[in-house]
């Protein structure tokens, strides 16, 4: 499979310069500089519609896990398409509000919600707090009582299934910090049901990220449904079942199921188990944005030593942390063909390590990549729409990259490049 086939954003009209939708990437680099994140509206909409159409006619909500990419313009787009949001901080709730999106379809996940964050979420009438511990339940009840409010809750259970993914992004095993152990869930629900300022409305789980198989979801679902049944027997009736996010994308040679395949398998299992009437919720992140974004970067220097060829580019680990953090693979393509080749590798291809300028040996973006490169060339780093910009930092006093959204021939700057003045302000204003 070539990138053009799995990466809907990139096109190569007439085998020449790479485009994002109808816009040449060379034009974007000239206009906005590099490094720049480029997103495709068509790819974002298509990824969302894959979920929405699979759930058409069902009582179901899609909560975009916005930690994946929380640019206000993307939130607005997903909000307009009908999405709610899965947040993990008060700051993310403020982004939802700043984007002009509704807060009544927000679910609040995370193990460490502060009292201030709970207060903010209660003020704005979110749909549900996804609780992760007894202490959190007690705190939420107290905060809600102090405001004269009732907090809607779901318990995040840890179904102890192996998501068969990278240990850093697996969350549904006993040794992970996430969720409430299965055997502790029932007593926690009993306690929640008896608290005056808590309303039990749901149950949720999220077993990991970059899942490429359906079976762990079904294993988790079976366990969660056992619990739903046990709760029903005690007259604790749940209105919704939230299966989290986690569906993987193709970075290299993975073959994750399509959203429609995953959802139809889940719907079928619910039907078989007699829970066809339960309202569903999903919290997809990566699968909505990952392959709708690239990071556009320029080759500053080519450097050769006896062991290696290095291409030093102007993007770095502070812009895209995933390779340094998880040894993640991001495919890369040359933006302009050299020597008449359409792939950019027709002349004198060599194996390069693609590295950034940050002073860390861990600052690499790709290893042993075949490229025919010259200084000044542009490279598109693929599958960078998820956990790219949101994990970016200012390490080495580097301003964060610009972000642009492409819609056909139309280009919108959706975040300007950060300046050094932006970075210094918080220290100079004191
Ligand atoms: C991160 C996260 C998600 C989204 O995960 P993806 O793998 O990006 O789909 C959903 N729910 C919760 C609770 C999360 O922490």
């Amino acid at each position: 499979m070539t990138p053009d086939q799995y990466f809907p954003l990139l096109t190569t009209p007439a085998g020449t310069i790479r485009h994002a939708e109808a816009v040449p990437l060379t034009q974007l680099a000239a206009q906005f500089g590099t490094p720049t994140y480029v997103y495709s509206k068509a790819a974002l909409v298509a990824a969302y519609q894959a979920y929405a159409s699979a759930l058409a006619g069902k009582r179901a909500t899609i909560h975009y896990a916005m930690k994946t990419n929380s640019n206000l313009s993307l939130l607005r787009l997903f909000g307009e398409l009908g999405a709610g949001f899965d947040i993990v901080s008060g700051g993310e709730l403020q982004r939802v509000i700043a984007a002009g999106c509704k807060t009544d379809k927000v679910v609040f996940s995370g193990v460490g919600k502060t009292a201030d964050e709970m207060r903010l979420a209660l003020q704005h009438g979110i749909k549900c707090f996804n609780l992760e511990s007894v202490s959190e339940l007690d705190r939420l009840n107290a905060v809600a009582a102090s405001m004269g409010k009732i907090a809607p809750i779901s318990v995040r259970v840890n179904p102890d299934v192996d998501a068969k993914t990278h240990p850093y992004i697996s969350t549904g095993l006993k040794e992970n910090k996430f969720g409430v152990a299965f055997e502790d869930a029932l007593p926690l629900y009993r306690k929640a049901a008896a608290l005056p300022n808590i309303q039990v409305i749901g149950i949720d789980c999220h077993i990991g990220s970059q899942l490429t198989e359906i079976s762990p979801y079904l294993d988790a679902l079976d366990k969660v449904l056992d619990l739903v049944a046990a709760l029903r027997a005690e007259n604790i009736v749940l209105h919704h079942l939230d299966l989290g996010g986690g569906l993987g994308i193709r970075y290299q040679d993975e073959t994750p199921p399509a959203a429609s395949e995953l959802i139809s398998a889940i719907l079928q299992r619910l039907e078989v188990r007699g829970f066809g009437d339960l309202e569903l919720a999903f919290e997809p992140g990566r699968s909505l944005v990952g392959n709708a974004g690239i990071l556009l970067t320029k080759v500053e220097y080519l450097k050769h030593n006896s062991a290696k060829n290095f291409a030093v580019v102007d993007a770095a680990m502070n812009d895209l942390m995933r390779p340094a953090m998880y040894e993640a693979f991001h495919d890369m393509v040359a933006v302009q063909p050299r020597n008449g080749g359409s792939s950019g590798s027709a002349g004198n291809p060599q194996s390069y390590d693609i590295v950034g300028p940050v002073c860390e040996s861990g600052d690499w973006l790709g290893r042993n990549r075949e490229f025919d490169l010259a200084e000044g060339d542009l490279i598109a780093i693929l599958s960078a729409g998820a956990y790219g910009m949101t994990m970016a930092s200012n390490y080495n006093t580097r301003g964060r990259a610009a972000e642009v959204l492409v819609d056909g021939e139309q280009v919108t700057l959706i975040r300007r490049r950060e300046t050094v003045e932006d970075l210094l302000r918080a220290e100079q204003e004191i």
Side-chain angles (χ1 to χ4, degrees):
M1 226 189 233
T2 66
D4 307 79
Q5 289 170 289
Y6 69 85
F7 199 75
L9 181 160
L10 278 184
T11 60
T12 315
T16 56
I17 295 166
R18 296 265 175 191
H19 286 49
E21 298 201 14
V23 184
L25 294 178
T26 45
Q27 179 193 317
L28 294 176
Q31 197 174 345
F32 301 103
T34 50
T36 290
Y37 278 100
V38 181
Y39 310 116
S40 156
K41 183 175 176 185
L44 294 165
V45 171
Y48 182 80
Q49 294 301 357
Y51 279 90
S53 56
L55 290 165
K58 294 276 161 198
R59 285 196 309 136
T61 48
I62 301 164
H63 305 271
Y64 169 49
M66 60 181 280
K67 71 171 186 281
T68 318
N69 187 325
S70 56
N71 185 288
L72 297 179
S73 296
L74 266 58
L75 302 185
R76 209 168 290 130
L77 172 63
F78 285 126
E80 282 164 6
L81 291 171
F85 300 96
D86 170 47
I87 64 168
V88 291
S89 72
E92 287 193 342
L93 181 56
Q94 286 173 302
R95 277 188 177 271
V96 171
I97 295 162
C101 297
K102 291 202 199 123
T103 53
D104 62 355
K105 280 198 278 182
V106 166
V107 298
F108 194 169
S109 301
V111 292
K113 302 175 194 80
T114 67
D116 282 346
E117 288 176 321
M118 290 172 171
R119 217 167 281 125
L120 185 73
L122 283 166
Q123 261 162 20
H124 289 281
I126 67 163
K127 174 184 166 185
C128 192
F129 290 84
N130 291 354
L131 296 187
E132 304 221 12
S133 65
V134 188
S135 302
E136 195 191 341
L137 173 63
D138 288 331
R139 180 183 286 181
L140 182 61
N141 184 58
V143 171
S146 74
M147 299 171 71
K149 293 202 181 264
I150 307 281
I153 68 115
S154 157
V155 173
R156 176 172 177 177
V157 295
N158 183 335
D160 194 27
V161 298
D162 184 357
K164 304 184 182 103
T165 185
H166 189 287
Y168 278 18
I169 51 178
S170 174
T171 57
L173 281 171
K174 273 196 177 124
E175 58 259 42
N176 297 128
K177 71 176 176 181
F178 295 104
V180 174
F182 222 70
E183 55 277 18
D184 301 332
L186 213 48
L188 184 58
Y189 268 110
R190 284 185 197 120
K191 176 173 177 172
L195 287 173
N197 292 84
I198 295 290
Q199 185 193 6
V200 173
I201 64 166
I203 190 164
D204 69 283
C205 67
H206 169 72
I207 55 175
S209 201
Q210 186 53 17
L211 272 69
T212 53
E213 291 173 42
I214 292 177
S215 60
Y217 281 101
L218 297 180
D219 293 347
L221 177 61
D222 273 333
K223 289 190 152 189
V224 171
L225 288 178
D226 292 343
L227 202 51
V228 175
L231 288 165
R232 260 188 205 178
E234 299 193 21
N235 271 329
I236 300 173
V237 178
L238 305 178
H239 303 296
H240 77 262
L241 163 61
D242 178 347
L243 288 167
L247 182 60
I249 62 168
R250 185 176 189 115
Y251 285 100
Q252 184 171 18
D253 50 11
E254 304 90 336
T255 52
S260 58
E261 293 174 85
L262 172 64
I263 287 171
S264 79
I266 288 169
L267 293 177
Q268 198 180 343
R269 182 66 59 99
L270 283 163
E271 218 43 68
V272 168
R273 298 266 326 248
F275 289 93
D277 56 332
L278 210 51
E279 182 179 322
L280 288 179
F282 291 92
E283 303 166 353
R286 189 191 310 271
S287 53
L288 293 184
V289 293
N291 274 340
I294 62 168
L295 177 57
L296 188 58
T297 184
K298 187 178 76 183
V299 178
E300 291 286 348
Y301 297 103
L302 296 178
K303 181 173 170 175
H304 310 274
N305 66 25
S306 58
K308 282 271 184 193
N309 301 309
F310 295 99
V312 184
V313 297
D314 62 4
M317 64 187 286
N318 76 294
D319 299 300
L320 181 64
M321 177 110 86
R322 299 187 69 257
M325 187 155 162
Y326 313 115
E327 301 202 345
F329 179 93
H330 282 266
D331 208 352
M332 298 182 188
V333 295
V335 168
Q336 295 151 286
R338 302 193 68 76
N339 302 320
S342 61
S343 68
S345 298
N348 177 27
Q350 287 182 301
S351 178
Y352 284 96
D353 278 11
I354 313 295
V355 302
V358 163
C359 299
E360 296 280 347
S361 293
D363 182 26
W364 58 276
L365 298 166
R367 287 186 168 140
N368 303 319
R369 304 301 174 86
E370 286 285 310
F371 271 112
D372 177 12
L373 288 176
E375 293 179 357
D377 279 4
L378 294 170
I379 291 176
I381 303 174
L382 308 188
S383 310
Y387 306 104
M389 186 61 175
T390 48
M391 291 174 96
S393 79
N394 295 120
Y395 190 39
N396 281 208
T397 306
R398 289 167 52 85
R400 280 173 291 175
E403 293 178 288
V404 300
L405 181 63
V406 174
D407 177 12
E409 292 178 350
Q410 200 183 321
V411 178
T412 312
L413 179 66
I414 57 172
R415 190 182 207 273
R416 68 165 171 80
R417 186 176 305 288
E418 243 172 8
T419 64
V420 175
E421 291 72 48
D422 291 330
L423 307 190
L424 298 185
R425 195 164 299 137
E427 294 156 56
Q428 290 176 327
E429 274 176 359
I430 48 175

